[in-house]
Amino acid sequence: MPISRAEIVTDSGEKLINRLCKHWAHKLEVEQEGEEGRITFDNGSCLLRAEEGKLKVAVESLDEEGLDRLEGVVASHLERMSGKESLDIIWEN
């Protein structure tokens, strides 16, 4: 399974995880505990972990096309949930 990771500089990591998990909980399988979250999509999953000054995100999918889609979906939702804070999201695989 292809995997991409991003390390995003932010002091709002835990808040972003909380918002994302609440947003998707009504239609996807979501697990959240403290500073970690996991969202399971039809074609893959997203793992989130808040650390001091950063948010670590990993997405995995069944294939490269699905991975590209998940990167876009997760990034756009993170940007939307961040409000006025600008996030620099660079995926590495």
Side-chain angles (χ1 to χ4, degrees), residues 51-69:
E51 295 183 2
E52 176 116 11
K54 61 186 164 189
L55 174 63
K56 290 186 171 185
V57 184
V59 293
E60 65 179 356
S61 185
L62 300 173
D63 54 39
E64 291 293 334
E65 185 178 311
L67 186 66
D68 289 343
R69 263 195 314 271

Side-chain angles (χ1 to χ4, degrees), residues 63-81:
D63 54 39
E64 291 293 334
E65 185 178 311
L67 186 66
D68 289 343
R69 263 195 314 271
L70 274 183
E71 286 175 354
V73 166
V74 171
S76 69
H77 278 77
L78 279 170
E79 289 167 351
R80 195 171 351 147
M81 300 292 168

Side-chain angles (χ1 to χ4, degrees), residues 22-36:
K22 282 184 179 180
H23 174 75
W24 274 318
H26 69 282
K27 61 182 175 179
L28 298 171
E29 182 183 331
V30 172
E31 300 171 40
Q32 182 185 7
E33 188 172 320
E35 298 175 338
E36 295 184 1

Side-chain angles (χ1 to χ4, degrees), residues 17 21 30-39 46-50:
I17 291 170
C21 288
V30 172
E31 300 171 40
Q32 182 185 7
E33 188 172 320
E35 298 175 338
E36 295 184 1
R38 177 184 180 92
I39 303 155
C46 174
L47 301 170
L48 304 128
R49 179 172 175 77

